[in-house]
Amino acid sequence: GAVYLYRRGPDGGWIVADQLRGPDEVNHFGISLSMASSGTAISVGSLRADGRVQAHNYAWRAGRWTPTGVVVANLPAHDGAVPRLALSRDGQRLALGSGASPRVELFGFGIAGWQAEAPARTGEITEAHVAALAMSDDGKTLAVADATGRVDVLSDATPGGWRTQVHLEGPA
């Protein structure tokens, strides 16, 4: 698969500015993606042959998209589940979920590259699967929605890890 990045041309129309291609052994590269609101980082979802989800990460450096690493979550990707991704504004924190699991795993980028952080534990989303993720600009608040319309809003209470701050029920 591939991800195409566009920019505005001189005439105001959209033109292909770049293309990110997944490795041949990766299934469904580009099935999902998240771009940091700063526009300097992209995370591209794909499925692994062993049935887990992963994210290929890129940063805008020296005028081109540079790979910063691949993270693999211990989350299932069976039954056509799509990886769910959310990046902080600076692209230094990534939340990765799966449409086949209620869990969310978090990763931070630093000097040693991408490292796993404490997983986010949702209070009410225990049976349903993650349908959507959204992260605040500072990477310290995470909204996790399930397919029934329930949403847990979590905050990073480091060093204690992620804690549910509010649980919202969808319409009855």
Side-chain angles (χ1 to χ4, degrees):
V3 172
Y4 293 89
L5 298 135
Y6 294 84
R7 67 175 173 79
R8 292 271 186 184
D11 65 354
W14 291 99
I15 58 173
V16 175
D18 208 345
Q19 178 184 32
L20 305 175
R21 295 195 79 45
D24 289 339
E25 70 276 6
V26 171
N27 295 322
H28 305 288
F29 179 86
I31 196 169
S32 60
L33 63 88
S34 179
M35 177 179 269
S37 62
S38 64
T40 60
I42 296 175
S43 185
V44 181
S46 68
L47 308 177
R48 290 174 47 102
D50 67 3
R52 294 184 292 164
V53 298
Q54 63 186 1
H56 304 259
N57 299 290
Y58 301 84
W60 183 254
R61 295 182 182 149
R64 64 185 204 94
W65 290 103
T66 304
T68 60
V70 177
V71 298
V72 179
N74 216 3
L75 301 170
H78 56 77
D79 298 331
V82 174
R84 311 300 191 214
L85 307 165
L87 280 169
S88 60
R89 175 177 172 68
D90 63 4
Q92 303 294 298
R93 184 174 254 178
L94 168 68
L96 180 55
S98 167
S101 173
R103 294 185 315 121
V104 176
E105 293 187 15
L106 286 111
F107 301 87
F109 186 78
I111 261 184
W114 287 98
Q115 301 292 319
E117 297 180 352
R121 306 233 184 265
T122 59
E124 300 292 329
I125 300 174
T126 56
E127 301 298 324
H129 302 150
V130 174
L133 293 172
M135 186 177 286
S136 64
D137 279 352
D138 66 5
K140 294 183 179 183
T141 304
L142 181 67
V144 182
D146 71 16
T148 69
R150 295 181 296 194
V151 177
D152 277 349
V153 178
L154 301 101
S155 65
D156 184 0
T158 302
W162 291 85
R163 301 277 188 256
T164 299
Q165 297 302 307
V166 66
H167 174 76
L168 307 168
E169 287 290 334

